[in-house]
Every structure is written in C-alpha cells, then in structure tokens.
Amino acid sequence: MLVLLPPSEGKAAGQAGDPLDVAALSLPGLTAARETVLTELVELCTADAGKAQEVLGLSEGLKGEIAKNAALRTAGARPAGEIYTGVLYDALDLATLDPKARALAERSLLVFSGLWGAVGIADRIPSYRCSMGVKLPALGALGAYWRAPMAEALPEAAGDGLVLDLRSAAYATAWKPKDEVAERTATVRVLQSKIVNGVEKRSVVSHFNKATKGRMVRDLLTAGLEPAGPAELVDALGELGYAVEAQAPAKSGKPWALDVIVTEL
C-alpha cells in the first residue's frame, strides 16, 4: 500500500542539530531534481527578498519564511512527520501510533512537496515554504517541473499494491498514475451530509475533508490493514465504520473514485 498525502502550508519549526542530507531522502531517483529546486529556492531567497516574497506568494506577516528558506542547507532537520502540521496531520497523530502502526506508516506514506517532490515521514527535512503552485524563475511551475522525475520514481514506489491518493488538486499535478498503476489507485473525496428541509445535501468542506482523511489513514494503520486494491479498500473502510460510495472506472487505465460520507467529525 502506498498512501499519497498533501503537505501542510503551516509547518513546525526546525531544531538544532544535523542539517539536511538530500541524498539520504527516500526515492533517491529524485535527488538531482531536489538539488535543482533547493538551489534555485535558496538563491532566490538569499538574493532578493522582495522578489522571493512575490514568487512565493507570501503576505507581510509571512516574510520571515524567506530567511528560513535562505538557510535551508544549514538549518536543523527533523522527520517530515514532525514538520507537517495542520488538520490532516493532527487527525493522523503520527506521534501516538504504536510501533507496528508506525512501521507501516513509514513504509506506506509519502508526502508530496513543491520543494522535495515527495518524502517519507521518516525523512529528515528542515522547515520550509514552497508550495507546488510556485513558479520559480529558472524552473517555471513546480507541478510541471516534477512530472518527469516523478514519472520515473513513483511507479516503482507504488509496487504492486493499492495506491491511496489523498492529495489536493495542486499536488496531484506532479504525478498522475497511469495504466496498470492507475487501476490500483483510489482517489477519495469526503462529503459532508446534511438534511435541509427534509432533503439530503452534500458538500465538500475543507475541515471535514482533511480531518476525515487523516483519521481514515490512522485507522488503517492502527488496524494493520494493507488493502491489495481499491475494492479491498472499500471493504476495509466499511469494516472500520466509514460510509463509502465507490465508483469503479468505466474503462481500463483509470483510478477508482471513492466518496466518504460524513455527518460530523
């Protein structure tokens, strides 16, 4: 099982200690591409703070992120699972997983990133600011930049099991599963169900979406479940108490689409 997660805009602070070792990150096939993006980002934030603020889309209150990016090569690093914060990661609550569930998380979870492409939760990285929607001057849009290296690295990482794709649209641009891998992929949409004047209304609500996805992954990890494919995932989620409506692809080479229906967090 491979679970694809979005990062968080907010990130925990780094810490004193050993800095980043790019070559030690998961998916070594991405090393050269990571070095290229890292070098471009550090140079941008070192040379011209005003331009960096514009390129990164930072408000005045977030200008401090520019100095953080400028120091990425020397800043203390910590596991990615501790760097990413926010609603999804609060619900996932990696720090409280038991050892067996934690081991499953470390071999199953990949967090997509504008800077790193994708990292495992045990990969040591510094805190940074660079979303997939950023267009770096020398590289262009990062979503497009990452497509070629991801197309080489991700199919191997996917192996022959389920790919559970929980990424937001911006991060999904960096890699789109194809052919046989796509047929083992399930995308998930979380819909909040409300009864309004006796009629059910469903809508996508960001907080419900993120929290439910984090909790869903945690429940799979805690139960030690590694579904072999989308159909098995639907069964597993049902056993865990989730209301799931699944749509199998109409033709080969396409992913399954799953709706998880929630009424409250």
Side-chain angles (χ1 to χ4, degrees):
M1 178 175 69
L2 185 66
V3 181
L4 311 180
L5 298 175
S8 57
E9 286 297 321
K11 298 174 181 69
Q15 60 184 23
D18 293 337
L20 168 74
D21 180 357
V22 177
L25 299 178
S26 302
L27 304 175
L30 300 180
T31 299
R34 287 167 174 152
E35 284 284 4
T36 299
V37 179
L38 178 61
T39 296
E40 173 72 6
L41 181 62
V42 169
E43 289 181 354
L44 170 67
C45 292
T46 301
D48 190 334
K51 185 176 182 181
Q53 183 179 359
E54 179 183 354
V55 168
L56 297 174
L58 299 177
S59 66
E60 285 296 311
L62 292 173
K63 287 177 66 174
E65 301 292 296
I66 298 169
K68 180 191 294 184
N69 282 349
L72 283 171
R73 290 195 180 274
T74 57
R78 60 196 290 191
E82 299 176 13
I83 289 289
Y84 296 112
T85 60
V87 175
L88 188 153
Y89 291 92
D90 287 347
L92 179 53
D93 199 7
L94 291 166
T96 62
L97 291 176
D98 63 48
K100 185 176 179 180
R102 177 73 186 198
L104 179 55
E106 291 184 2
R107 68 174 184 264
S108 300
L109 306 188
L110 278 182
V111 183
F112 272 59
S113 162
L115 176 53
W116 316 114
V119 292
I121 61 165
D123 287 339
R124 297 180 64 259
I125 59 173
S127 184
Y128 68 95
R129 189 83 176 202
C130 185
S131 71
M132 192 66 79
V134 163
K135 296 180 180 179
L136 291 178
L139 301 179
L142 290 175
Y145 170 84
W146 281 111
R147 286 174 196 155
M150 288 290 201
E152 293 290 329
L154 266 294
E156 181 179 354
D160 58 3
L162 169 71
V163 178
L164 176 53
D165 190 352
L166 303 179
R167 297 172 296 168
S168 55
Y171 289 89
T173 63
W175 181 60
K176 183 178 180 179
K178 295 181 178 180
D179 303 325
E180 183 267 339
V181 178
E183 294 173 4
R184 294 186 277 108
T185 298
T187 62
V188 174
R189 181 175 62 165
V190 178
L191 299 177
Q192 182 187 16
S193 173
K194 288 184 177 180
I195 303 299
V196 180
N197 297 326
V199 179
E200 184 191 25
K201 302 289 186 180
R202 293 180 177 181
S203 61
V204 177
V205 180
S206 178
H207 188 79
F208 276 75
N209 178 56
K210 294 175 181 178
T212 301
K213 286 179 177 178
R215 189 172 65 248
M216 183 175 67
V217 174
R218 180 183 176 85
D219 288 345
L220 288 168
L221 296 172
T222 301
L225 297 177
E226 296 184 77
E232 291 81 3
L233 173 64
V234 173
D235 292 341
L237 292 176
E239 292 173 5
L240 292 170
Y242 291 88
V244 181
E245 296 177 359
Q247 182 177 345
K251 56 183 180 179
S252 61
K254 299 294 182 180
W256 285 51
L258 274 56
D259 284 343
V260 176
I261 313 302
V262 298
T263 56
E264 58 185 18
L265 287 177

